[in-house]
Amino acid sequence: MEVDDKEKENQLQDERYDRTIRALTAEVALKLMKSRIALSPMNGVITEFMKNIILDGANVTIFDDGKVTEDDVGTNFMLSPNDIGKVKGEVLKEKFNEMNPYSKIEAKPLLNINEIYQATVEGKNNLLRDFDIIAVSTTNFQEMILWDKLATYLNKPLYILNCCGLYGFVWINLGKDFTYRRIKPKVEVLGGDTQEVESAKQ
């Protein structure tokens, strides 16, 4: 999937991105519009994630060639009974293209983390190297560990998302170039009482 930077800069002028620019600034919005994001598999929480980034103009590759089932229809707001039996990735690609035709969307077969991890570290597969972000969903902790190792190896931001009714889980690996700084509260003595006051954010 090729992303034309000049094309994205022109699209930024479209009024559909006005809310994104107001929330994120034009610079961040344009960076998001130029990004390439890998998603797998397309369950309810990953589909919700995709909806939000598609509305902001991101470019997405869906890795899910499974068939839509009745369970999918019950847990995925983008799927309907008419979609049962169809290829999930292709169905969602078509529906999200209608939501924002400016986003470039591709659909490919489901990723097997065991195979893709081994092939990547052995230099036999570069499938995920060109993506800016990887977002996946799995309840298998061994798979989570492999996804985290792969993201670290590729130095790519990784989001592992899960939703179980009212409960959710997220694991984030932002890569070795990311630095987290926590601003410590400053202690001031006022009238004999010690109080913690948040220092100004830099």
Side-chain angles (χ1 to χ4, degrees):
M1 173 174 41
E2 296 295 329
V3 179
D4 188 321
D5 289 354
K6 189 63 178 177
E7 179 184 359
K8 289 296 182 181
E9 290 172 8
N10 292 335
Q11 290 172 3
L12 189 63
Q13 311 306 316
D14 193 295
E15 63 181 9
R16 76 178 66 218
Y17 297 122
D18 182 64
R19 181 183 299 178
T20 303
I21 292 171
R22 290 175 186 272
L24 302 176
T25 74
E27 180 182 358
V28 176
L30 184 58
K31 186 174 182 179
L32 179 58
M33 290 171 66
K34 292 179 179 179
S35 66
R36 298 184 61 205
I37 301 173
L39 302 179
S40 181
M42 298 310 294
N43 58 13
V45 68
I46 293 291
T47 301
E48 175 67 24
F49 180 80
M50 181 172 176
K51 180 203 75 176
N52 291 305
I53 60 176
I54 284 294
L55 290 174
D56 289 331
N59 308 288
V60 172
T61 297
I62 299 168
F63 289 94
D64 195 334
D65 58 347
K67 299 294 179 65
V68 177
T69 65
E70 289 186 16
D71 287 343
D72 291 324
V73 173
T75 58
N76 193 317
F77 69 98
M78 288 291 285
L79 300 173
S80 71
N82 293 332
D83 298 320
I84 293 175
K86 298 178 182 177
V87 177
K88 195 185 307 181
E90 295 295 339
V91 170
L92 293 172
K93 174 184 174 180
E94 181 179 345
K95 293 186 177 186
F96 278 116
N97 266 327
E98 293 176 2
M99 186 177 291
N100 188 353
Y102 288 159
S103 290
K104 298 183 185 302
I105 305 172
E106 291 182 343
K108 295 187 177 184
L110 186 69
L111 293 174
N112 181 312
I113 182 55
N114 295 288
E115 294 175 1
I116 197 72
Y117 175 78
Q118 194 66 31
T120 302
V121 297
E122 291 177 358
K124 298 177 181 178
N125 192 312
N126 295 319
L127 181 63
L128 295 175
R129 289 187 183 276
D130 293 333
F131 289 95
D132 301 298
I133 295 172
I134 302 168
V136 299
S137 183
T138 176
T139 56
N140 184 309
F141 282 103
Q142 293 304 314
E143 290 185 357
M144 291 183 194
I145 291 169
L146 280 182
W147 275 114
D148 188 63
K149 286 183 176 180
L150 180 62
T152 300
Y153 178 80
L154 295 173
N155 195 27
K156 303 287 184 182
L158 167 72
Y159 297 83
I160 300 176
L161 311 172
N162 279 306
C163 182
C164 306
L166 297 177
Y167 298 93
F169 168 88
V170 59
W171 171 260
I172 303 172
N173 179 344
L174 295 177
K176 62 185 179 182
D177 296 329
F178 177 81
T179 302
Y180 173 76
R181 288 193 310 167
R182 180 178 180 183
I183 300 175
K184 295 182 179 180
K186 182 172 63 176
V187 177
E188 294 183 1
V189 178
L190 303 173
D193 296 326
T194 301
Q195 298 182 9
E196 287 191 352
V197 180
E198 290 251 349
S199 59
K201 292 184 178 180
Q202 298 177 356

